[in-house]
Amino acid sequence: MSEGKDDLYLLEHLNDGYGFWVRARRKLAHVKSPFQDIEVLDTVNFGRTLRIDGYFMTSDKDEFFYHENMIHPAGIAHPGPQRALIIGGGDGGAAEEYLKYPSMKEVVMAEIDGAVVDFCKEHLPEVHRGAFDDPRLKVLITDGKAYVEQCSDSFDLMMLDLTDPFGPAEALYRVDFLRECRRILGPQGVMSMHLGSPVARPNVFHRVVSSLREVFKYVRPYMVYVPLYGAAWGMAVASDETDPLALSSEQVEQRISERGISHLQYYNGDTHRAVFALPNYVRKILAQPGRPISADDPMDEPGLDP
């Protein structure tokens, strides 16, 4: 972080060759939990912005780029989701999107750091929009990996809202954990997760997709530009029974209307189809021989200091 006379210029590296900066007026709140360093800043372009361990997570003004695209391609593809599970997601943005479904009876959030939940409840109301007050949301302060491995319930939808696959988070990208995720998905269940940037980290992008393909019948990578992340960002939905590409733009619009899902700033029938149209450079990355992440072949690309 560099400081001028009045403002802060917050730098973030995407790899060891490039990154980006965001200008902030001031730091609004800061707390150190036993797990991580958490702060909210008042930024010029993005409003209130959450950073964890020096990395941008979400913001008032652009959270919908990430949350809508992580939730709705899977949610709309499912014929009638009633239960959803979020691993991580302590800012509440993913839960808020799941709770837009009138069929949704319960959303379980398994977040390891209670300080993130408390901090975001207080400081990021424009991200969670009251989701924490919805009785359908059940917040568990627990290790998400252990929760999945010990879980005997089943879910229609599941989102892995994880940090990048370095350090302790790497184990949640491995094939053995993804198999546990598949185990607790009900009939027609769909999981979504992010893949990182194929521009900044093509090896990471390829290896996460390879892991998903080792486990699920349908794996559909897709691309969204997320302004706060400074790059085109990879996401994926995975399922053994439900293929989001089976829906036309018209069918997506019909389901959005029938389900009464509103306040969408990004997602619609056309974007549902469009995000899955992969450019040639991404197709080339994914055409390489698969190399799933496992204990025997872990992620071999180091993370970066912010």
Side-chain angles (χ1 to χ4, degrees):
M1 179 188 298
S2 64
E3 298 189 30
K5 180 180 178 182
D6 299 308
D7 292 350
L8 310 172
Y9 288 84
L10 311 166
L11 308 178
E12 182 170 319
H13 296 95
L14 291 173
N15 59 30
D16 60 5
Y18 87 103
F20 63 101
W21 58 266
V22 172
R23 180 181 166 197
R25 297 183 182 93
R26 62 190 181 279
K27 185 181 294 186
L28 298 177
H30 180 211
V31 65
K32 288 189 176 182
S33 79
F35 297 96
Q36 51 206 346
D37 188 84
I38 312 162
E39 57 188 339
V40 166
L41 300 112
D42 175 24
T43 65
V44 173
N45 272 39
F46 300 109
R48 291 192 175 195
T49 301
L50 175 69
R51 290 207 314 170
I52 294 181
D53 288 338
Y55 288 97
F56 296 108
M57 296 291 147
T58 192
S59 76
D60 286 352
K61 293 186 179 180
D62 94 322
E63 60 83 22
F64 65 89
F65 285 86
Y66 179 80
H67 291 125
E68 288 187 19
N69 284 294
M70 281 286 281
I71 297 305
H72 296 302
I76 287 295
H78 193 281
Q82 297 185 32
R83 300 190 76 229
L85 173 64
I86 305 165
I87 303 301
D91 57 47
E96 191 259 341
E97 297 298 334
Y98 276 142
L99 291 167
K100 289 178 179 178
Y101 287 79
S103 60
M104 192 66 68
K105 294 180 179 178
E106 183 180 50
V107 176
V108 177
M109 176 194 297
E111 164 64 61
I112 197 169
D113 194 347
V116 171
V117 174
D118 293 339
F119 192 81
C120 293
K121 279 183 181 179
E122 180 178 358
H123 297 291
L124 293 175
E126 294 301 313
V127 173
H128 61 75
R129 294 186 177 88
F132 291 108
D133 298 323
D134 193 308
R136 295 174 293 166
L137 177 60
K138 180 180 181 181
V139 178
L140 304 176
I141 306 304
T142 188
D143 181 334
K145 183 174 183 292
Y147 176 83
V148 169
E149 292 170 343
Q150 298 165 15
C151 185
S152 58
D153 294 333
S154 66
F155 297 89
D156 302 306
L157 300 173
M158 182 175 180
M159 175 190 176
L160 303 185
D161 198 4
L162 309 174
T163 55
D164 292 336
F166 310 112
E170 191 257 5
L172 283 77
Y173 290 83
R174 292 180 179 179
V175 169
D176 59 344
F177 179 69
L178 297 178
R179 286 199 178 104
E180 290 293 320
C181 294
R182 183 185 65 181
R183 177 184 62 82
I184 64 173
L185 281 174
Q188 300 179 292
V190 192
M191 188 181 79
S192 58
M193 65 186 299
H194 86 92
L195 310 171
S197 171
V199 178
R201 297 276 192 162
N203 180 55
V204 172
F205 179 89
H206 176 250
R207 295 204 64 190
V208 179
V209 173
S210 297
S211 298
L212 288 168
R213 286 175 171 172
E214 190 77 5
V215 176
F216 293 95
K217 178 180 178 180
Y218 296 110
V219 177
R220 300 299 188 190
Y222 56 105
M223 300 286 296
V224 177
Y225 180 78
V226 181
L228 188 63
Y229 297 171
W233 212 253
M235 303 176 181
V237 292
S239 177
D240 279 345
E241 299 183 35
T242 302
D243 183 0
L245 281 182
L247 295 176
S248 67
S249 298
E250 293 75 19
Q251 288 172 315
V252 171
E253 291 287 357
Q254 183 178 359
R255 290 191 178 190
I256 292 172
S257 176
E258 290 174 348
R259 298 175 186 187
I261 298 173
S262 59
H263 300 99
L264 296 173
Q265 299 182 74
Y266 193 109
Y267 181 77
N268 58 46
D270 288 338
T271 67
H272 176 96
R273 298 290 304 183
V275 295
F276 291 103
L278 299 179
N280 290 338
Y281 80 92
V282 175
R283 292 181 179 183
K284 184 176 180 180
I285 293 169
L286 296 177
Q288 301 173 39
R291 190 181 166 200
I293 305 167
S294 67
D296 294 331
D297 189 7
M299 181 63 68
D300 55 355
E301 186 168 337
L304 292 169
D305 293 328

